[in-house]
């Protein structure tokens, strides 16, 4: 079956051929045989992938489409949409992962045979791995009764013994929960067969699990506004706070990051639910590929239609939706979960808190990511007070800004425990990790955050209190918090940092500023000497594109994924001159790693910037919206190249302008043809200017830090006015 249904946009064609979108537009104008659009819109047409591949090969624009790009374009252009394609791919990958001989057998024939045999093979794999998976043509009696088959624990995964909750009649759900996965029928699978064969080929090289992570990461990266993600470092911290539970629930699972962080044990039982059927299905497949334990997953509105009313989990991890008004306030007034008070319409987060507590066994732990306003809003003070009095709320942790979306807001973690005994003198742990905020957009210092939070929680959980650390951590008697506001914001309850963090630190900043200013004066360039008009003739020019074709340099573009824990050089890092600070979606895509002497340029924003990679930056992954030029040292001096690429006029002639952004076509940037000795002469001058620029930037940063610290010290009393 020819894959003529798969469509690809102009951006996808550019990525396949390794060129800019302008080149694709030129091909359409100059070549009468360029494939005609088969879909899309007039401003954003779509083309048949098979026709594009054939045209690119015929015109020697592409020797062979890279397998990962071909698979991604098949998925992105699937006639039933990328999510359906991703679910079909995940089902096939689970079969390949669990029973590779079965896949080899059913895929050896025609496409029609594969589509006909695959549902039965998937039934044999999915049913034990994802209990409750809907089978084609089967009516589930429990669904007819308004329940869901995953509500009842299977014999293979018995529920953790615990004291049952008080029985009560829940509110009638508006939409009953449904299975997260349904085994696709042969007609639904047939259009996906070319994709599945490509996915299997990719999995043979990378493995089934990394292949699914690559495709899922690409999809999430291509649709950033559709999904609210939980970063892996934050997910790991939340998982560490609950320890090693046997049964874990995530009632708002999203893409499954939190459950994946605890899915490292075959004895662990995982339960997931999400209001989005797409996310519930993707999470079920993602977890099934990461653990041998059964994965219970359901799609449905958790607050209105809970899929696990009888579950008593050891731990609950949750990144709930924030600031929801339509969470079920009018429908759930008499719900038995509101043990600590009926949440106001504006307090949807406190509804999620109480849902988490209701699904815990006695002594079980829940960790929820919360907006900071929940700790202080007056409408929630009575529920907060009752959570404190009964010992259910054990810790509030203020995270640094940039920990999770929305990145500009310093979010909180709430650590809760379902009370199994009465505390004689209950206390609340308050931790403020705000000092680990990183400058720029690189995110927090996660090792520092993790060490501070886990050390404080471990001591508090073990001893019932912690040694006070001014500005960082303190255990506060609950009686001190039960005032008119019941404000639990850590920064308002912690003592200010000690003098060593105030005046002493400012003295160090002042000394570094003095040294930097002296260095700046030494590095300042000498007065510019004008070139005589007779000697200012125009030098012969060449372009980056011509140099790349001649082999004088290699040109690479930033990727869409990379290995975990590898620093990423972002466009912001290049513009600000800072160390690599970014992250990319985790995948097995081969990243572009920087080397000393590389020249890196951002292609968006219109700034005339080029950065030469030094030993400190080498080894970082090249981020998105960046182009790397790797010059041949025998032909090009790196500093000469970077210096001329920074020319304002050079950038202006190589840039294209849209309504809201400026994009740089790096291939059109120009530089003069000069002998190596002359290149090095220019290069030394450009290197000196770069050192002067970095010194100026450091002086400005230290000056801002000194001014901010002086204001803070004078206002909080740690610095004397004279």
């Amino acid at each position: 079956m020819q894959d003529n249904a798969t469509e690809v946009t102009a951006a996808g064609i550019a990525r396949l051929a390794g060129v800019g979108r302008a080149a694709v537009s030129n091909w359409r104008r100059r070549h009468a045989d360029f494939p005609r659009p088969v879909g899309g819109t007039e401003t954003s047409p779509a083309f048949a992938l098979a026709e594009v591949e054939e045209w690119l090969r015929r015109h020697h624009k592409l020797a062979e489409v890279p397998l990962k790009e071909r698979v991604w374009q098949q998925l992105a252009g699937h006639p039933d949409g990328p999510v359906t394609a991703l679910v079909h791919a995940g089902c096939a990958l689970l079969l390949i992962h669990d029973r590779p001989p079965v896949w080899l057998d059913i895929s050896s024939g025609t496409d029609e045979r594969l589509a006909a045999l695959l549902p039965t093979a998937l039934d044999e794999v999915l049913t034990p791995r994802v209990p409750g998976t809907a089978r084609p043509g089967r009516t589930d009696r429990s669904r007819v009764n308004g329940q869901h088959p995953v509500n009842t624990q299977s014999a293979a995964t018995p529920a953790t013994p615990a004291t049952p909750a008080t029985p009560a009649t829940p509110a009638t759900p508006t939409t009953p929960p449904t299975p997260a996965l349904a085994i696709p029928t042969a007609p639904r699978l047939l259009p996906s067969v070319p994709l599945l064969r490509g996915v299997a080929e990719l999995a043979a090289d990378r493995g089934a699990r990394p292949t699914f992570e690559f495709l899922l990461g690409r999809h999430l990266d291509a649709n950033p506004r559709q999904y609210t993600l939980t970063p892996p470092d934050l997910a790991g911290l939340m998982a560490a706070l609950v320890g090693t539970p046997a049964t874990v629930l995530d009632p708002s699972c999203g893409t499954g990051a939190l459950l994946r962080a605890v899915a490292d044990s075959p004895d662990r039982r995982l339960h997931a639910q999400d209001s989005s059927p797409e996310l519930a299905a993707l999470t079920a497949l993602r977890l099934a590929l990461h653990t041998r334990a059964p994965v219970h997953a359901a799609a449905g509105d958790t607050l209105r239609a809970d899929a696990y009313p009888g579950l008593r989990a050891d731990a609950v991890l949750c990144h709930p939706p924030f600031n929801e008004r339509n969470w079920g306030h009018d429908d759930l007034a008499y719900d038995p979960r509101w043990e600590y008070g009926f949440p106001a319409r504006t307090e949807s987060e406190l509804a999620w808190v109480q849902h988490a507590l209701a699904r815990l066994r006695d002594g079980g732990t829940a960790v929820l990511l919360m907006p900071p306003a929940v700790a202080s809003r007056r409408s929630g003070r009575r529920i907060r007070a009752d959570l404190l009095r009964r010992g259910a709320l054990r810790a509030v942790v203020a995270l640094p800004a940039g920990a999770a979306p929305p990145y500009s807001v310093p979010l909180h973690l709430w650590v809760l425990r379902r009370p199994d005994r009465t505390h004689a003198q209950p206390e609340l742990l308050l931790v403020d990790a705000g000092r680990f905020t990183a400058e720029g957009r690189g995110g927090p210092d996660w090792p520092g955050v993790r060490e501070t939070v886990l050390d404080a929680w471990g001591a508090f959980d073990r001893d019932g209190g912690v040694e006070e650390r001014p500005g960082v951590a303190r255990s506060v008697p609950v009686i001190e918090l039960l005032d008119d506001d019941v404000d639990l914001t850590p920064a308002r309850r912690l003592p200010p940092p000690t003098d060593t963090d105030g005046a002493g630190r400012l003295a160090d900043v002042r000394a570094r500023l003095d040294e930097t200013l002296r260095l700046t004066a030494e590095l300042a360039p000498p007065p510019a000497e004008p070139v005589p008009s007779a000697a200012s003739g125009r030098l012969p020019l060449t372009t980056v594109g011509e140099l790349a074709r001649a082999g004088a340099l290699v040109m690479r573009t930033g990727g869409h994924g990379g290995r975990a824990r590898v620093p990423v050089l972002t466009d912001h890092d290049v513009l600000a001159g800072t160390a690599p600070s970014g992250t990319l979606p985790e995948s097995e895509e081969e990243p572009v790693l920087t080397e000393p002497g590389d020249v890196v340029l951002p292609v968006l924003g219109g700034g005339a910037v080029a950065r030469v990679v030094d030993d400190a930056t080498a080894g970082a992954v090249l981020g998105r919206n960046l182009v790397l030029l790797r010059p041949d040292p025998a032909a090009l001096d790196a500093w000469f190249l970077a210096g001329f690429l920074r020319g304002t006029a050079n950038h202006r002639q190589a840039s294209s302008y849209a309504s809201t952004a400026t994009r740089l076509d790096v291939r059109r940037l120009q530089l003069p043809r000069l002998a190596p000795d002359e290149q090095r002469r220019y290069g030394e001058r450009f290197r000196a200017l770069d050192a002067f620029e970095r010194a100026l930037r450091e002086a400005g940063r230290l000056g801002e830090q000194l001014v901010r610290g002086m204001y803070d010290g004078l206002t909080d009393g740690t610095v004397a006015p004279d």
Side-chain angles (χ1 to χ4, degrees), residues 3 46 83 103 112 116 118 125 186 199 210 257 259 279 286 301 349 368 391 396 435 479 507 517 536 550 585 685:
D3 186 29
V83 174
W103 168 262
E112 288 75 12
L118 190 53
V125 172
V199 165
L259 290 177
L279 291 178
R286 189 182 196 189
D301 186 327
E349 296 87 1
L368 284 82
V396 176
R435 66 175 183 166
I479 193 66
L517 290 174
S536 61
R685 188 64 180 270

Side-chain angles (χ1 to χ4, degrees), residues 41-240:
T41 64
E42 184 176 350
T43 57
S44 181
F47 307 84
L49 177 61
E51 295 178 4
V52 169
E53 291 180 12
E54 194 278 332
W55 187 90
L56 290 172
R57 293 192 187 95
R58 189 170 68 248
H59 287 264
H60 307 289
K61 306 293 186 183
L62 186 66
E64 183 62 45
V65 177
L67 176 61
K68 63 181 182 180
E69 289 297 336
R70 175 160 56 87
V71 171
W72 167 248
Q73 294 300 339
Q74 288 175 325
L75 187 147
H78 193 281
D80 292 331
V83 174
T84 297
L86 193 54
V87 171
H88 290 179
C91 290
L93 286 168
L94 186 60
L95 177 62
I96 294 169
H97 182 268
D98 282 10
R99 302 184 183 182
V102 175
W103 168 262
L104 291 175
D105 176 49
I106 66 175
S107 64
S108 60
T110 64
D111 289 358
E112 288 75 12
R113 177 177 181 270
L114 174 56
L117 296 179
L118 190 53
T120 301
L122 291 178
D123 189 9
E124 295 175 355
V125 172
L126 284 172
T127 301
R129 298 296 302 279
V130 187
T133 297
R135 298 174 178 175
R138 188 188 73 171
T139 300
D140 197 313
R141 293 183 179 275
S142 61
R143 288 188 62 195
V144 174
N145 294 332
Q147 299 176 352
H148 187 269
V150 298
N151 292 349
T152 303
Q153 297 288 336
S154 66
T157 56
T160 303
T163 303
T166 303
T169 303
T172 302
T174 55
T175 304
T178 60
L181 282 174
I183 297 174
T185 61
R188 292 293 305 273
L189 283 169
L190 190 57
S192 300
V193 170
L195 166 67
L196 302 186
R197 293 190 186 278
V199 165
E201 187 179 352
L202 195 60
D205 179 49
R206 294 171 172 240
R209 182 187 303 168
T211 297
F212 187 75
E213 288 297 321
F214 161 70
L215 295 174
L216 177 62
R218 262 293 181 92
H219 174 68
L220 297 177
D221 190 49
N223 302 275
R225 297 185 179 181
Q226 295 184 22
Y227 306 102
T228 300
L229 305 181
T230 307
D233 290 298
L234 175 58
L237 173 61
M238 294 174 68

Side-chain angles (χ1 to χ4, degrees), residues 184-561:
T185 61
R188 292 293 305 273
L189 283 169
L190 190 57
S192 300
V193 170
L195 166 67
L196 302 186
R197 293 190 186 278
V199 165
E201 187 179 352
L202 195 60
D205 179 49
R206 294 171 172 240
R209 182 187 303 168
T211 297
F212 187 75
E213 288 297 321
F214 161 70
L215 295 174
L216 177 62
R218 262 293 181 92
H219 174 68
L220 297 177
D221 190 49
N223 302 275
R225 297 185 179 181
Q226 295 184 22
Y227 306 102
T228 300
L229 305 181
T230 307
D233 290 298
L234 175 58
L237 173 61
M238 294 174 68
L241 285 168
V242 299
T244 56
T247 306
V248 188
L249 166 68
D250 185 346
S252 180
C253 63
T255 59
L258 292 173
L259 290 177
R260 185 188 170 208
V262 298
D264 56 355
S265 172
D267 299 328
R268 195 155 289 158
R269 297 183 292 277
L270 306 178
H271 296 74
Q273 183 172 353
D274 199 274
S275 60
S276 167
E278 297 177 355
L279 291 178
L282 294 177
T283 292
L285 290 168
R286 189 182 196 189
L287 295 175
L289 282 164
H290 276 83
T291 179
R292 299 298 305 177
V295 176
H296 300 268
D301 186 327
T302 295
L303 295 180
R304 288 189 173 94
D306 181 16
Y308 311 103
L311 179 66
R312 294 300 175 264
D314 298 305
V316 174
L317 295 171
C318 187
H319 178 173
F322 297 162
N323 303 318
E324 276 198 333
R325 296 298 180 98
N326 185 27
W327 58 267
H329 178 271
D330 296 336
D331 305 327
L332 303 172
Y334 301 102
D335 196 283
R337 288 172 292 182
W338 315 143
E339 189 176 348
Y340 300 88
F342 181 39
R345 189 184 303 275
T346 56
E347 294 288 353
S348 62
E349 296 87 1
L350 291 179
W352 286 97
V353 164
Q354 295 191 75
H355 173 81
L357 286 167
R359 294 297 160 262
L360 285 173
R361 64 167 176 82
D362 289 348
T365 303
V367 179
L368 284 82
L369 184 67
M370 307 289 276
V374 182
S376 59
R377 280 195 297 243
R378 289 189 60 81
S379 55
R381 66 188 186 277
R382 291 186 178 180
I383 294 178
R384 292 196 300 271
D386 207 29
L387 289 168
L388 291 173
R389 288 191 193 99
R390 299 173 61 180
L393 181 58
R394 306 300 295 138
V396 176
V397 177
L399 296 170
Y407 290 107
S408 60
V409 178
L411 301 175
H412 288 180
L413 288 179
W414 281 27
V415 183
L416 302 112
R417 182 159 289 164
R418 184 170 180 83
D420 56 353
R421 59 187 175 85
T422 301
H423 293 268
Q425 293 180 333
E427 295 189 348
L428 177 72
L429 173 66
L430 298 176
V431 181
D432 188 351
R435 66 175 183 166
F436 296 105
T437 302
E439 296 185 5
R441 302 185 306 179
D445 172 14
W446 278 112
V449 173
R450 185 181 177 92
E451 180 181 3
T452 298
V453 174
L454 294 183
D455 284 353
W457 170 249
F460 180 81
D461 193 34
R462 181 181 63 251
D463 305 327
V466 297
E467 183 178 349
E468 184 176 290
R469 296 178 58 190
V472 177
R474 177 192 175 200
S475 54
V476 184
V478 165
I479 193 66
E480 293 185 16
L481 302 170
L482 297 177
D483 52 19
D484 290 340
D485 296 324
V486 197
D487 190 340
L488 309 181
T489 305
R492 295 172 185 162
R493 301 287 182 174
L494 293 173
T498 59
D499 290 345
T500 56
D501 290 331
R505 180 175 55 84
L506 292 179
D508 179 63
V509 172
R510 176 56 188 265
R512 289 162 55 200
L513 177 59
D514 290 342
E515 179 62 28
T516 303
L517 290 174
R518 285 194 294 270
L519 178 62
T520 304
E522 295 173 3
L523 293 174
E529 294 290 340
V531 177
S533 56
S536 61
R538 184 174 178 82
L539 296 171
L541 300 175
T542 186
T543 66
V544 168
E546 291 172 351
L547 290 170
R549 287 191 291 272
L553 57 82
V554 175
M555 183 174 172
R556 304 290 300 276
T557 57
H560 294 265

